[in-house]
């Protein structure tokens, strides 16, 4: 029986869903949403704060500040509350209301940037706001998840070894690309310890992380308007983009089977199906994908039919045949 004294000390690391009978996809889904922050970001938040404390960057009276579309903001709210720091999250309108309310309930302060940068989108506008805030007061400490090596080190130490231990015959690992912390940590681990494993990075159409053109993205969690500083293409074996309408369809199909996951999971699984099919490995390779969070925070967007129709059109929730065989 686990007994803890701080919220970050608990995380379910060994829960996988066999998706073969759920959505007819031969992939094991690693569920990372079962902790007090509700997402995989608790690992990175804890690692970054502890590294800043060891380096003497954080001290009593410091104010944590970070740009986040949601999950890292919640995770830092949890860690900051436990350690007695003020925390300011700079986000944008794509951040769900439930997520903003969670941060505030945990004592975090939320600032919403309402206008995107003309060239770098909402992420660029958020980063600019954070830089101005830090320049105005030296009490602010920006962890900068997009460039902080502690972001990927958290997953090199935990997520990668956990998957390797559970799947000694693993062939392919599918990881979503947001800040690329999870992706880089796992890719580095497998490159060094299990180089035979193919690591496939999955991202949303409209993200610039892999060098593609910028475009509108409405589902938070994956994608970036500014390429993350910690991303190293040489560590990734292949990349794949997924249109957001396929994300919506996959998430709804999972929900109809009783599994409510966030948009990042829908994107990764859509990409996994297409990649395995294109490479003739569907049902042949041993494959794992990572689910960063659950779906409760997205009830007013990803799982709200009026919102879906307004953003993607009435065809977004099309027939089951499109869900079983996404293109």
């Amino acid at each position: 029986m686990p007994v803890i004294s701080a919220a970050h000390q608990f995380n379910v690391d060994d829960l996988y869903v066999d998706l073969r009978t759920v959505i007819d996809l031969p992939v094991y889904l690693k569920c990372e949403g079962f902790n007090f922050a509700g997402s995989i970001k608790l690992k990175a938040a804890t690692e970054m704060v502890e590294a800043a404390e060891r380096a003497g960057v954080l001290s009593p009276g410091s104010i944590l500040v970070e740009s986040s579309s949601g999950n890292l903001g919640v995770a830092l709210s949890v860690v900051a509350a436990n350690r007695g720091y003020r925390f300011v999250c700079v986000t944008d309108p794509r951040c769900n209301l439930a997520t903003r309310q969670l941060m505030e309930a945990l004592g975090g302060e939320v600032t919403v940037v309402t206008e995107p940068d003309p060239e770098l989108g909402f992420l660029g506008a958020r980063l600019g706001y954070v830089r101005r805030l830090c320049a105005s007061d030296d009490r602010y400490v920006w962890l900068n998840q997009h460039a902080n090596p502690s972001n990927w080190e958290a997953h090199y130490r935990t997520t990668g070894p956990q998957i390797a231990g559970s799947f000694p015959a693993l062939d392919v690992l599918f990881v979503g690309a947001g800040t690329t912390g999870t992706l880089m940590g796992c890719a580095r681990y497998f490159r060094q310890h299990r180089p035979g494993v193919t690591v496939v990075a999955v991202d949303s159409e409209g993200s610039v992380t892999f060098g593609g053109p910028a475009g509108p993205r409405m589902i938070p969690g994956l994608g970036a308007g500014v390429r993350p500083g910690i991303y190293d293409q040489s560590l990734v074996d292949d990349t794949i983009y997924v249109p957001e309408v396929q994300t919506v369809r996959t998430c709804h199909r999972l929900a109809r089977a009783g599994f409510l996951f966030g948009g990042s999971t829908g994107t990764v699984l859509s990409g996994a199906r297409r990649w395995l099919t294109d490479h003739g490995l569907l049902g042949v390779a041993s494959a794992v994908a990572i689910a960063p969070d659950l779906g409760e925070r997205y009830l007013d967007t990803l799982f709200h039919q009026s919102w879906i129709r307004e953003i993607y059109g009435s065809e977004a929730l099309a027939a089951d045949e499109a869900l079983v065989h996404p293109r």
Side-chain angles (χ1 to χ4, degrees):
M1 179 180 69
V3 178
I4 65 173
S5 57
H8 70 274
Q9 295 171 346
F10 173 78
N11 190 67
V12 176
D13 289 321
D14 56 357
L15 178 62
Y16 294 82
V17 178
D18 183 348
L19 295 174
R20 287 175 296 182
T21 59
V22 177
I23 56 170
D24 190 29
L25 180 63
V27 171
Y28 293 96
L29 184 65
K30 188 179 194 309
C31 302
E32 288 279 355
F34 293 99
N35 57 52
F36 286 99
S39 82
I40 197 171
K41 291 291 189 177
L42 185 59
K43 294 177 177 178
T46 302
E47 188 84 14
M48 289 191 296
V49 169
E50 290 181 348
E53 289 176 335
R54 290 193 299 270
V57 175
L58 274 174
S59 58
S62 294
I63 304 171
L64 285 168
V65 60
E66 187 56 89
S67 161
S68 171
S69 62
N71 281 338
L72 184 71
V74 174
L76 282 172
S77 296
V78 169
V79 176
N82 175 252
R83 284 170 153 76
Y85 297 114
R86 280 180 59 195
F87 169 59
V88 177
C89 180
V90 180
T91 189
D92 61 61
R94 294 172 299 179
C95 180
N96 299 286
L97 176 61
T99 301
R100 299 200 300 268
Q101 291 174 328
L102 271 172
M103 288 188 275
E104 291 170 345
L106 290 161
E109 303 166 36
V110 181
T111 296
V112 180
V113 174
T114 57
E115 294 295 328
D117 181 276
E119 296 181 359
L120 302 176
F122 275 116
L123 177 57
R126 283 166 22 200
L127 296 178
Y129 187 97
V130 170
R131 292 188 182 99
R132 292 191 297 273
L133 194 63
C134 292
S136 72
D137 190 331
D138 59 11
R139 292 178 300 166
Y140 286 104
V141 175
W142 179 24
L143 296 173
N144 193 1
Q145 61 171 325
H146 301 278
N148 192 328
S150 294
N151 187 353
W152 64 259
E153 286 168 358
H155 303 286
Y156 181 88
R157 290 194 310 103
T158 61
T159 313
Q162 289 155 7
I163 294 170
S166 297
F167 293 88
L170 181 66
D171 296 310
V172 190
L173 175 64
F174 296 96
V175 189
T179 65
T180 70
T182 306
L183 173 62
M184 289 293 95
C186 291
R188 275 188 170 87
Y189 179 84
F190 281 100
R191 180 62 59 88
Q192 293 179 16
H193 300 280
R194 297 270 295 280
V197 173
T198 298
V199 177
V200 180
V202 186
D203 206 355
S204 301
E205 284 188 354
S207 171
V208 304
T209 299
F210 304 155
R217 292 174 291 104
M218 297 303 297
I219 299 174
L222 295 187
V226 179
R227 188 170 185 164
I230 60 174
Y231 180 63
D232 183 349
Q233 178 64 48
S234 70
L235 297 172
V236 175
D237 296 299
D238 206 351
T239 59
I240 189 166
Y241 283 111
V242 173
E244 286 191 334
V245 68
Q246 294 297 344
T247 296
V248 171
R249 290 173 176 172
T250 299
C251 286
H252 279 251
R253 186 154 189 247
L254 284 164
R256 290 205 302 274
F259 292 97
L260 200 67
F261 288 104
S264 299
T265 301
T267 302
V268 170
L269 294 182
S270 295
R273 185 188 294 276
R274 193 164 84 222
W275 191 92
L276 290 168
T277 301
D278 290 348
H279 288 77
L281 295 174
L282 193 67
V284 177
S286 172
V288 167
I290 298 175
D293 64 3
L294 302 178
E296 292 94 334
R297 295 175 189 175
Y298 310 98
L299 294 178
D300 58 344
T301 53
L302 183 60
F303 294 102
H304 196 290
Q305 293 198 9
S306 296
W307 184 87
I308 293 168
R309 291 192 183 97
E310 179 181 349
I311 301 298
Y312 305 107
S314 58
E315 70 279 3
L317 295 178
D320 285 348
E321 182 63 20
L323 297 173
V324 176
H325 302 290
R327 301 183 198 216

